[in-house]
Amino acid sequence: MKYLPIVLLLAASPAAAQSPELEQACTAVAQNFLLTPTITTGVVQSFPDLEPPGARMTYSTRADPQPTDFTNEIECQFATATPPLSLTRFCISSTCYSENEQEPENRRRYLEVKALMDRQN
């Protein structure tokens, strides 16, 4: 019983640190990259207090996804945790995309998504 306040504090901390702006921006990154008007998100986590700030989530592109359909994952990093957000890097599954990527195609995909995100701001 003496550990209950500590457990409650730890359980409440992740929810308090969530950032809807980072989560929405990461969803937009996924939509732009996957060329889909909508995606359904599963588990969503955001980290506005980390450097760089970011978000990660599981998602599905199916119209009516079941809980087992959320096997795809995206992670996004931004320059700041508050708007205007500036995308600095994103990873889908095990492939990452950023301005500093060695693979030209991965760098190109990053620049395309970043341009689309900048137009939305």
Side-chain angles (χ1 to χ4, degrees):
M1 200 62 162
K2 69 179 183 177
Y3 296 108
L4 185 60
I6 295 171
V7 171
L8 290 175
L9 178 65
L10 291 175
S13 294
Q18 296 293 308
S19 169
E21 292 87 6
L22 292 175
E23 294 167 8
Q24 290 170 356
C26 197
T27 299
V29 169
Q31 288 173 300
N32 285 321
F33 181 80
L34 299 170
L35 301 174
T36 184
T38 60
I39 63 168
T40 304
T41 57
V43 176
V44 180
Q45 301 171 331
S46 58
F47 307 95
D49 50 336
L50 295 181
E51 190 62 41
R56 64 182 180 163
M57 62 186 69
T58 58
Y59 67 90
S60 175
T61 56
R62 294 184 184 216
D64 189 20
Q66 301 301 309
T68 56
D69 292 334
F70 295 97
T71 57
N72 301 308
E73 186 177 320
I74 183 169
E75 176 184 343
C76 305
Q77 294 178 357
F78 301 93
T80 64
T82 57
L85 301 173
S86 179
L87 181 67
T88 59
R89 181 176 191 247
F90 68 96
C91 301
I92 293 187
S93 298
S94 61
T95 305
C96 293
Y97 304 85
S98 75
E99 191 169 359
N100 300 326
E101 289 298 319
Q102 297 299 315
E103 179 64 40
E105 281 299 309
N106 292 356
R107 184 175 186 277
R108 171 67 186 210
R109 296 289 92 71
Y110 162 79
L111 292 172
E112 290 171 353
V113 171
K114 182 167 179 13
L116 293 169
M117 296 297 294
D118 288 347
R119 289 179 198 162
Q120 293 174 354
N121 288 333

